Amino acid sequence: MEEFRRSYSRLCKESGSEPQEAVLQQLHQLPRGRLDLATQSLTVDTCRALGKLLQNQTLLTELVLSDCMLSEEGTTLLLQGLCANTVIRFLDLKGNNLRAAGAEALGKLLRQNQSIQSLTLEWNNLGTWEDAFATFCGGLAANSTLQQLDLRNNQISHKGAEELALALKGNAILQQLDLRWNNVGLLGGRALVNCLPSNRTLWRLDLAGNNVPSDVLRAVGTGARGCLLLSLEQGMKPFDRGLSTMGGGSSGLWTEQAMEHNQDRHTAFQETQTRTHLLSKEVQYLQEEKSKQFLDLMETIDKQREEMARSSQASAARVGQLQEALKERHSIINALKAKLQMTEAALALSEQKSQDLGELLATAEQERLSLSQREEKERRLEQQEASERESKLLRDLSAANEKNLLLRNQVDELERKLKSQQEELFLTRQELTNISAELKIRVVQAEERLDMEKRRARQNMEDSEKLRFKEVEHMTRHLEESERAMQERLQRLEALRLSLEEELSRVKAAALSERGQAEEELIKARNQARLEEARRPWGSSASHARSNSTWLIWRRSCGCWRKPGMKLRAPAYSRSRQWLRPRRGPASSACRWRGSDGA
């Protein structure tokens, strides 16, 4: 598509105009097989260039030119180019306000083009000019490829519908025709109904929004579905015959007729179901089309509003420019008036000067006569001098001719030398080509040697890599084995440490139990000593005080004061399998006795 873009630019420059940037951008982003220039304002030069390019274009199958504001001349040039095209299948000219010239060009296109299968002409004014629309219908009747035609919102009257009906009678390929939102009316609807029996290919005809009566619309539906209605009529005939002969026949005949009647009712019910299904689909399709048309209408209204806003802004800017130009012209007029006054004053002065100049002219005339006499004498002298100069020039010319002959001889000698030098140059070039060929061969050989050296280096690198990989594997295996040995040794040491801790805990428990027994024996001995002391004959007050006092003993093993005779508890066993050390008592190693009276 780059060639298409360059061709467009070249044709625009040949016609003396610059190519449109928007069109160039669309051609740069052109998808395969589709040219979409929708909403681009195309000039006449652009249409002329596109028409010339589309004559021989073989890559595009879809051309979209909707809302391009095409002029009559631009439309004609484009469609003339499409007449010779044999590839485009889809053409969209929606919303371009096509009129008489556009309708005639479309008729010519339908007569000559043999490739377009779908043509969209919505939102144009083709039906306003009856003669031009008749030309369009004549092209439609002669066309043999168009299958889908969209003529919505084209101001088609009942006469235009009659021309379309005549075209449909002669057309044997068109399958879909959309005539919604026109002015077909009753007469146009009847003309279309009358043409349907002679057309066997048209299976879809849309007439919504045309002021066509409902009976005509039903007749159009009947014409489009004649086979279905025919099958329904054939299914009802046996039922009527059975009802007419039910009273006079026998019972067996009546049962057969009843069975036939049931079968006929079943077939009729199936046909009605299929018909209702088709009608529901068509109603749904019509609703979708109406919604689409409403959305298209709203889009066009929005576009028109935007265009009106743009035009109003442009007009306001234009009015401002005109006002500024008017002010400038007023100032220019005032300046011209001032200049006129000045020129009138200058004119009066010039009249006075002219009188003075008349007097000067008379004196100048006398001087001129005297000067003419002097000039005559000087002219004669100049003629004599010119004749002498001419003789000198002739002599110089003969000498120049002789020099020219000498120069020509020198030029011939130089040409001979140049030929010999050219021959030497040719020989040197041949030698240079031979030397370059030898150098190329040597370069190829050097490259081959370099490749050999590279392959050897790669082989050496691969061998060294393999050796390194083997050494790494050996080292990893050695490290894994040493790690396993260390782990086993650690496990053995841990088991040995646990066994030693258990033995130490057992030894501590035995020592504590022995110590407890020794302390109990010591307590018993002290109790005996105390009892012996109590039995001694001391004073009554002292013995009474000692008998009533409470004696406490400091236990170095547990680090606290206890009563004599209290049993010692074994030390607690911690979670870390170690015996808790008893708290240290006072600094002295001996146990201290202390009573409640402070003795």
Side-chain angles (χ1 to χ4, degrees):
M1 290 302 172
E2 187 66 25
E3 183 180 357
F4 189 86
R5 188 165 175 264
R6 288 197 297 268
S7 301
Y8 166 70
S9 301
R10 178 177 54 78
L11 290 174
C12 288
K13 289 179 181 178
E14 287 178 358
S15 62
S17 62
E18 292 294 328
Q20 292 182 254
E21 291 295 332
V23 177
L24 289 174
Q25 187 175 3
Q26 291 293 329
L27 292 175
H28 183 67
Q29 301 173 355
L30 190 64
R32 187 172 183 83
R34 178 184 174 87
L35 177 58
D36 190 353
L37 298 176
T39 66
Q40 304 294 335
S41 298
L42 303 181
T43 61
V44 176
D45 296 326
T46 298
C47 293
R48 182 182 292 108
L50 290 176
K52 291 180 180 179
L53 290 174
L54 291 172
Q55 288 180 358
N56 302 318
Q57 182 58 240
T58 59
L59 298 176
L60 296 175
T61 58
E62 296 183 13
L63 180 59
V64 180
L65 299 174
S66 59
D67 299 315
C68 289
M69 292 186 287
L70 298 176
S71 62
E72 295 286 335
E73 184 180 359
T75 305
T76 305
L77 292 171
L78 261 175
L79 297 178
Q80 284 178 358
L82 287 173
C83 288
N85 188 280
T86 59
V87 179
I88 291 179
R89 301 285 184 270
F90 177 84
L91 178 60
D92 188 355
L93 294 172
K94 172 185 173 182
N96 282 293
N97 196 22
L98 301 181
R99 300 184 181 181
E104 292 176 356
L106 284 170
K108 183 179 178 181
L109 173 67
L110 292 176
R111 284 180 184 276
Q112 297 181 5
N113 187 276
Q114 300 296 324
S115 64
I116 297 176
Q117 298 178 358
S118 177
L119 180 59
T120 302
L121 299 172
E122 183 183 0
W123 288 105
N124 287 291
N125 292 318
L126 298 177
T128 307
W129 288 268
E130 296 177 357
D131 296 336
F133 191 71
T135 304
F136 170 77
C137 293
L140 178 62
N143 186 270
S144 61
T145 58
L146 188 64
Q147 298 179 4
Q148 184 177 358
L149 178 60
D150 189 352
L151 291 173
R152 288 178 288 177
N153 298 92
N154 269 278
Q155 305 295 327
I156 299 174
S157 61
H158 64 280
K159 293 184 179 179
E162 291 175 356
E163 295 291 337
L164 271 176
L166 292 174
L168 290 175
K169 287 181 180 180
N171 187 285
I173 196 68
L174 188 65
Q175 297 179 3
Q176 300 181 33
L177 177 61
D178 196 344
L179 293 173
R180 287 177 290 176
W181 311 109
N182 286 291
N183 298 319
V184 173
L186 175 62
L187 298 176
R190 287 181 178 175
L192 291 171
V193 169
N194 294 330
C195 80
L196 289 177
S198 59
N199 188 296
R200 298 297 181 185
T201 58
L202 187 68
W203 60 270
R204 179 168 184 171
L205 177 61
D206 293 327
L207 291 173
N210 278 281
N211 297 322
V212 178
S214 58
D215 57 345
V216 177
L217 290 175
R218 285 194 296 271
V220 171
T222 304
R225 302 176 186 83
C227 298
L228 180 60
L229 294 175
L230 181 61
S231 65
L232 287 173
E233 291 175 359
Q234 289 176 354
M236 292 298 292
K237 286 179 182 178
F239 173 65
D240 295 336
R241 287 197 300 270
L243 289 176
S244 62
T245 59
M246 186 182 296
S250 62
S251 60
L253 183 61
W254 185 81
T255 55
E256 291 178 357
Q257 290 177 354
M259 290 175 64
E260 291 177 358
H261 169 62
N262 291 331
Q263 292 177 357
D264 294 336
R265 286 183 65 186
H266 183 66
T267 55
F269 179 71
Q270 289 180 350
E271 290 173 355
T272 52
Q273 280 186 344
T274 55
R275 185 178 181 185
T276 53
H277 184 63
L278 291 172
L279 290 173
S280 64
K281 283 185 177 180
E282 289 184 0
V283 168
Q284 185 178 2
Y285 177 75
L286 290 174
Q287 289 177 353
E288 292 176 355
E289 289 291 328
K290 187 177 287 185
S291 62
K292 289 179 182 178
Q293 186 178 4
F294 180 73
L295 292 174
D296 294 338
L297 180 61
M298 293 302 293
E299 288 178 359
T300 52
I301 290 170
D302 293 336
K303 289 178 183 178
Q304 289 177 358
R305 286 178 180 174
E306 291 177 357
E307 290 176 0
M308 289 174 66
R310 291 173 188 168
S311 61
S312 63
Q313 291 176 358
S315 61
R318 183 63 178 168
V319 168
Q321 292 176 358
L322 291 173
Q323 287 179 354
E324 292 178 356
L326 184 61
K327 290 179 181 178
E328 290 177 357
R329 289 189 179 182
H330 279 303
S331 61
I332 292 168
I333 289 169
N334 293 327
L336 289 173
K337 286 180 179 179
K339 287 182 179 179
L340 181 62
Q341 293 175 359
M342 293 173 68
T343 51
E344 287 177 353
L347 182 61
L349 292 172
S350 63
E351 287 178 355
Q352 291 179 359
K353 288 180 179 179
S354 64
Q355 292 177 0
D356 297 335
L357 290 172
E359 295 176 358
L360 293 172
L361 184 62
T363 56
E365 185 68 24
Q366 293 177 0
E367 291 177 356
R368 187 182 64 78
L369 291 173
S370 61
L371 288 172
S372 63
Q373 292 174 1
R374 290 177 185 174
E375 287 176 356
E376 184 68 23
K377 291 178 181 180
E378 290 176 356
R379 187 174 60 80
R380 289 175 184 174
L381 294 172
E382 287 177 356
Q383 285 179 354
Q384 291 176 1
E385 291 176 356
S387 60
E388 292 176 357
R389 289 176 183 173
E390 187 176 359
S391 60
K392 288 181 181 180
L393 289 172
L394 289 172
R395 289 194 295 271
D396 294 335
L397 182 61
S398 61
N401 289 327
E402 292 176 356
K403 289 181 180 179
N404 192 10
L405 291 172
L406 293 172
L407 290 172
R408 281 182 182 176
N409 294 326
Q410 292 177 359
V411 168
D412 293 334
E413 291 177 358
L414 291 173
E415 286 179 353
R416 286 193 295 274
K417 291 180 180 179
L418 180 63
K419 287 180 181 179
S420 62
Q421 289 177 357
Q422 286 179 352
E423 291 175 356
E424 292 177 357
L425 181 63
F426 180 71
L427 294 172
T428 53
R429 284 181 180 174
Q430 286 183 349
E431 291 177 357
L432 182 61
T433 53
N434 295 327
I435 292 167
S436 62
E438 291 178 357
L439 288 174
K440 287 180 181 179
I441 292 167
R442 291 179 182 176
V443 167
V444 170
Q445 292 175 356
E447 287 179 352
E448 291 177 354
R449 292 175 185 172
L450 182 61
D451 291 335
M452 291 289 290
E453 293 295 330
K454 285 182 179 179
R455 285 196 289 272
R456 289 176 185 173
R458 286 176 186 169
Q459 188 66 30
N460 293 328
M461 288 290 290
E462 289 176 357
D463 295 337
S464 62
E465 187 69 22
K466 288 178 181 179
L467 290 172
R468 189 180 63 80
F469 185 70
K470 289 179 180 178
E471 290 177 357
V472 169
E473 285 183 350
H474 179 70
M475 291 296 292
T476 51
R477 283 197 297 272
H478 181 68
L479 288 173
E480 288 176 357
E481 290 174 356
S482 62
E483 188 176 358
R484 289 195 201 97
M486 290 295 290
Q487 287 179 357
E488 290 175 356
R489 188 175 178 184
L490 286 173
Q491 289 176 0
R492 288 196 298 271
L493 290 173
E494 185 70 21
L496 182 59
R497 185 181 65 81
L498 292 174
S499 63
L500 290 173
E501 284 180 355
E502 289 177 357
E503 290 178 0
L504 181 61
S505 62
R506 285 195 297 272
V507 169
K508 284 182 179 180
L512 287 173
S513 63
E514 291 176 357
R515 188 175 180 179
Q517 291 175 3
E519 286 180 355
E520 286 178 358
E521 291 176 356
L522 182 61
I523 290 167
K524 289 177 182 180
R526 286 177 180 175
N527 287 330
Q528 272 182 347
R530 190 181 63 182
L531 290 173
E532 288 175 357
E533 287 177 358
R535 288 172 185 171
R536 290 176 185 176
W538 291 350
S540 61
S541 61
S543 62
H544 180 69
R546 287 187 179 181
S547 63
N548 292 330
S549 62
T550 303
W551 295 90
L552 297 176
I553 186 171
W554 174 262
R555 297 290 185 185
R556 186 179 179 185
S557 60
C558 62
C560 60
W561 294 96
R562 292 181 181 276
K563 291 181 180 181
M566 290 179 66
K567 292 183 179 180
L568 292 173
R569 294 181 182 177
Y573 186 68
S574 65
R575 292 182 182 177
S576 62
R577 298 182 181 180
Q578 294 179 359
W579 292 98
L580 296 174
R581 294 180 179 179
R583 283 185 282 178
R584 297 292 183 183
S588 62
S589 59
C591 294
R592 294 185 181 179
W593 294 91
R594 186 176 181 182
S596 60
D597 55 355

